[in-house]
Amino acid sequence: MISGVQDWHPASWREKPALQQPDYPDEAVLEAVLAHLATLPPLVTSWEIERLKGQLAEAATGRRFLLQGGDCAESFDECRADVITNRLKVLLQMSLVLIYGLRMPVVRVGRFAGQYAKPRSSDRDTRNGRTLPSYRGDIINRQPFTEADRTPDPRRMLEAYSRSGLTLNFIRALVDGGFADLHHPEYWDLDFVKHSPLAADYEAIVASIMEALRFMETVSHARLSDLERVEFFTSHEALLLPYEEALTRPAPHRTGLYNLSAHFPWIGMRTAQIDGAHVEYARGIANPIGVKVGPAMTTSWLKDLVRLLNPDDEPGRLTLITRFGADRIEDALPPLIDAVRATGRTVLWCSDPMHGNTEMTGSGLKTRRFEKILAELELAFDVHAAMGTHLGGVHFELTGEDVTECIGGARGLDENDLDRAYKSSVDPRLNSEQALEMAFCVIRKRRRMDG
Ligand code: PEP
Ligand code: CO
């Protein structure tokens, strides 16, 4: 297959060291699954992908803002109408708050319809003297600590493909069916606001958004939902490379090959080695791609990544998603901004204020504090402003469910609340109230900056 990218083909990653891959016990089953996957229709199209790339290019130059969010890991069990609807709802609400407060269009990208593979700090999990493979996400194995559950099963890739398709089908139907009709009062059920010292502020913002919607509709004689179709794009960590390869295809009338399993695949921090398989795979596909950038990143490594992943300085091609932790961002980010500047390439800078701020509670639960998440986000805005660059987006782990995984927020969740509804099998997510509150906090920060 001709790709146009030098010395690259969808399987060229196989010649490089591939971290975070499962050991499938049965090669024949693996080959059969991949051959089957390669015959199935794509989940997204190249024209949607190109449209997203155009919007990300606008975000890179400060004319649009990226909101990326969703579960740390989707689970097969949660491929359910209520879970999908609620997650979409909170992303839509957040995007409206951002559009209103930032006075610019927002590009909405979900961590959904394919976010099934997880990198782990260790390949093996030992409990009471017994060692089994680590749980790597539902596309690979199952969580319970038994040999049968933990053995990687390639057939789960077909299941992940199907559930991604089911999720995406429902999202597309909701969007087409007027899901974004913002007049439904339940979109603005802001009960939590009462608990916040900023209640009056939030209520005024919501009142202004409603007023603006009414005004738009009066002058245009159209429902807002008809004015601009609400769009959602999909993203996931492109971790399980055989799966990504099987969905990498040419597109009619276009040059290049696309990963048609998601609009916006990203490379995780643990697999961003310059000579590694994940970077090799990503360099050849035509999609916009993200790279997570954490405290271990060096200036020369980042320069190499930027040059390799965006050799032609294509607008919208590369997003750097930074995740240092509130305590480290001020030291870590400025030299990396300088390094990117030295490459002469334009990137979209996005802040993931979740992954650098994870801590363990006394009882051994992973959590994150609302105030630390917000602190990293505010510092990201400040550092970019001081360096003369734009923070063009935010990346959150969130759910539309009423979970208790992160500490803080208007309701003041504390450590003792976490047991009540801690559902994540991986990282702690903002619940719907905390997520919406975070959107309010972003615009409050922007307003303070703009004086
Ligand atoms: C994630 O986004 O869930 C993740 C694993 O992030 P990172 O690669 O930044 O650690
Ligand atoms: Co995570």
Side-chain angles (χ1 to χ4, degrees), residues 407-427:
I407 291 175
R411 270 195 215 266
L413 292 185
D414 67 24
E415 228 179 285
N416 300 320
D417 293 308
L418 295 186
D419 279 337
R420 184 155 49 80
Y422 196 105
K423 297 193 189 149
S424 175
S425 55
V426 272
D427 288 340

Side-chain angles (χ1 to χ4, degrees), residues 72 111 118 355 368 397 427:
C72 181
R111 284 176 68 117
K118 295 309 299 172
H355 286 86
R368 293 163 172 158
E397 287 187 342
D427 288 340

